């Protein structure tokens, strides 16, 4: 990503983060992040600004340590992960905290013991929990049964940390959000739900093209329309080229999400004409970027020429996970860990 900073301004940026952190200036201390709806517009912008300051500090090799022992983050994974696993683990360490990674075989969330009991144990040892779960309800149960922040690292309903990183990457690329249109082409899934809410909060237009029967949840579309300046700013269609027309961002995700493997064949059929390829990119704005939360299934939802082409910013997005999540960790976990 661009915008390397001088050591001096990086130090000032870290001082600014430290002050915001000490004063709980975003009023996020102790809160959970299960959905984009857990954030106000100001909190969202404050997190993006914090992420920018933390990125500047990293680029200038200026330490941004906030936490001291015993601040620790538990990372619970019911599903595989590369980006979420690495960026939360490193992000917490870069802020001076510790991490404990718990895979599916280790804790058996809801099977070896109940979700509330897991929460009540963990809060005795750690400052916050990031969890990647099958059912969003497990996150709600964790949150409702302990006093520490719960962070959604992907559920069947939302992927808010991904959306924060996406919004950060978009703002870095375009310098702001005004007048931008996102075209999302593919499955009406967790990634789209959070992106749609976030885009609406930032004042962007979003048009999602999904096959019939694979649209986003109606309640989330409605919530996004309520958050948007104008309800028409959030539109659902079944025509990819219509969604892509004039878009500044063309976004896609896998057609079969983790946990839906049994539906894979039916989904391949249903999504065949929803591939992001050169034809779709040609319908977008001349300066459009291509985005994907990754992992990508090349030749399904995206072709190699788009994924590896000059418009692709998918690895900027991946990098942005680190900066955005450090901002989340900093603002949710306080000085007393
Ligand atoms: N985008 C994302 O969440 O990647 P992982 O599944 O690798 O964590
Ligand atoms: N929709 C995908 C996102 C992976 C990061 C899934 O849930 O598997």
């Amino acid at each position: 990503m661009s915008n390397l900073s001088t050591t001096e301004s990086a130090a000032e940026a870290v001082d600014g983060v430290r002050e915001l952190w000490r004063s709980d200036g975003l009023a996020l201390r102790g809160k959970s992040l299960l959905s984009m709806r857990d954030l106000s517009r100001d909190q969202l912008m404050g997190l993006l600004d914090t992420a920018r300051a933390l990125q500047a500090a990293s680029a200038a090799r200026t330490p941004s340590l906030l936490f001291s022992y015993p601040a620790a983050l538990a990372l619970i994974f019911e599903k595989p992960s590369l980006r979420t696993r690495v960026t939360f683990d490193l992000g917490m360490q870069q802020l001076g905290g510790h991490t404990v990674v718990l895979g599916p075989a280790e804790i058996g969330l809801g099977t070896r013991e109940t979700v509330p009991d897991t929460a009540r144990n963990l809060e005795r040892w750690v400052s916050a929990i990031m969890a990647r779960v099958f059912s969003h309800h497990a996150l709600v149960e964790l949150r409702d049964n302990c006093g520490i922040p719960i962070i959604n690292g992907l559920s069947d309903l939302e992927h808010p940390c991904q959306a924060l990183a996406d919004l950060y990457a978009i703002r870095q690329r375009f310098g702001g959000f005004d007048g931008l249109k996102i075209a999302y082409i593919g499955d009406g899934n967790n990634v789209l739900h959070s992106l749609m809410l976030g885009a609406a909060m930032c004042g962007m237009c979003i048009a999602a093209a999904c096959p019939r029967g694979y649209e986003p949840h109606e309640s989330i579309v409605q919530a996004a329309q309520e958050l948007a300046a104008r309800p028409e700013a959030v539109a659902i269609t079944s025509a990819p080229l219509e969604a892509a027309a004039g878009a500044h961002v063309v976004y896609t995700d896998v057609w079969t999400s983790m946990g839906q493997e049994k539906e894979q064949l039916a989904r391949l059929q249903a999504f065949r004409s929803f591939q992001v390829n050169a034809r779709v990119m040609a319908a977008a704005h001349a300066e459009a970027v291509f985005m994907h939360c990754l992992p990508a299934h090349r030749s399904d939802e995206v072709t190699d020429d788009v994924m590896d082409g000059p418009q692709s910013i998918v690895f900027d997005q991946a990098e942005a996970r680190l900066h955005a999540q450090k901002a989340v960790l900093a603002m949710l976990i306080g000085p007393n860990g």
Side-chain angles (χ1 to χ4, degrees):
M1 281 186 151
S2 54
N3 80 330
L4 284 181
S5 179
T6 64
T7 309
E8 193 181 351
S9 65
E12 283 169 10
V14 171
D15 284 348
V17 172
R18 212 177 288 279
E19 183 45 39
L20 197 64
W21 175 65
R22 277 202 200 96
S23 64
D24 188 21
L26 298 184
L28 283 171
R29 177 81 37 79
K31 302 268 169 61
S32 289
L33 177 60
L34 268 48
S35 161
M36 290 302 283
R37 286 186 272 185
D38 290 333
L39 298 172
S40 67
R41 189 181 181 283
D42 285 351
Q43 287 170 329
L44 169 54
M45 294 304 159
L47 286 174
L48 299 184
D49 290 343
T50 304
R52 192 168 191 283
L54 290 169
Q55 183 188 353
S58 287
R61 300 286 182 266
T62 302
S64 52
L65 301 177
L66 301 180
F67 304 138
S68 55
Y69 183 81
L73 175 71
L75 298 162
I76 297 177
F77 287 98
E78 288 194 312
K79 304 175 184 176
S81 170
L82 171 68
R83 282 144 291 269
T84 306
R85 161 80 164 82
V86 172
T87 52
F88 266 108
D89 198 344
L90 287 182
M92 187 66 182
Q93 292 181 46
Q94 288 173 10
L95 292 171
H98 303 258
T99 53
V100 184
V101 183
L102 301 160
E106 278 151 313
I107 61 168
L109 194 65
T111 54
R112 187 164 180 263
E113 59 192 312
T114 67
V115 175
D117 282 351
T118 304
R120 292 176 195 126
N121 276 269
L122 283 171
E123 73 170 335
R124 298 299 178 106
W125 309 310
V126 301
S127 317
I129 300 171
M130 189 249 43
R132 167 166 288 194
V133 295
F134 284 102
S135 164
H136 192 81
H137 181 66
L139 295 173
V140 175
E141 274 194 293
L142 285 170
R143 183 197 60 196
D144 292 349
N145 286 283
C146 67
I148 57 174
I150 307 299
I151 302 168
N152 179 356
L154 181 146
S155 71
D156 56 344
L157 194 62
E158 277 208 50
H159 197 358
C161 295
Q162 181 67 52
L164 283 173
D166 296 341
L167 295 170
Y168 181 70
I170 291 170
R171 200 176 72 165
Q172 290 295 95
R173 179 68 175 216
F174 291 99
F177 297 115
D178 284 354
L180 297 185
K181 174 186 175 185
I182 303 179
Y184 177 98
I185 296 169
D187 190 20
N189 62 15
N190 45 9
V191 168
L192 175 58
H193 286 158
S194 293
L195 184 68
M196 185 179 277
L197 292 164
M201 287 165 79
C202 292
M204 287 186 282
C205 292
I206 181 162
C210 311
R212 288 189 213 290
Y214 295 95
E215 295 93 347
H217 287 198
E218 186 48 45
S219 62
I220 295 197
V221 176
Q222 207 178 326
Q225 286 172 336
E226 280 163 17
L227 285 165
R230 298 167 294 114
E232 319 83 78
V234 178
I236 311 298
T237 168
S238 55
L241 290 177
E242 182 189 313
H248 302 84
V249 173
V250 179
Y251 198 122
T252 191
D253 183 15
V254 291
W255 293 339
T256 304
S257 285
M258 293 178 279
Q260 298 173 331
E261 289 76 9
K262 284 191 185 135
E263 301 171 27
Q264 189 166 12
L265 273 180
R267 284 175 169 269
L268 277 173
Q269 296 284 338
F271 285 87
R272 209 195 305 264
S273 58
F274 287 74
Q275 182 186 66
V276 175
N277 50 32
R279 193 162 151 258
V280 172
M281 292 307 292
H285 192 279
E287 303 202 339
V289 294
F290 169 70
M291 297 180 74
H292 191 311
C293 59
L294 305 180
H297 291 170
R298 289 167 178 260
S299 304
D300 285 351
E301 75 272 6
V302 60
T303 51
D304 282 341
D305 58 328
V306 171
M307 175 89 175
D308 300 327
Q311 290 168 287
S312 175
I313 61 163
V314 297
F315 300 112
D316 287 343
Q317 272 180 274
E319 180 188 329
R321 294 291 302 275
L322 179 67
H323 310 307
Q325 289 159 195
K326 281 169 74 175
V328 168
L329 291 169
M331 294 306 143
L332 265 49
I333 302 173
N336 299 323

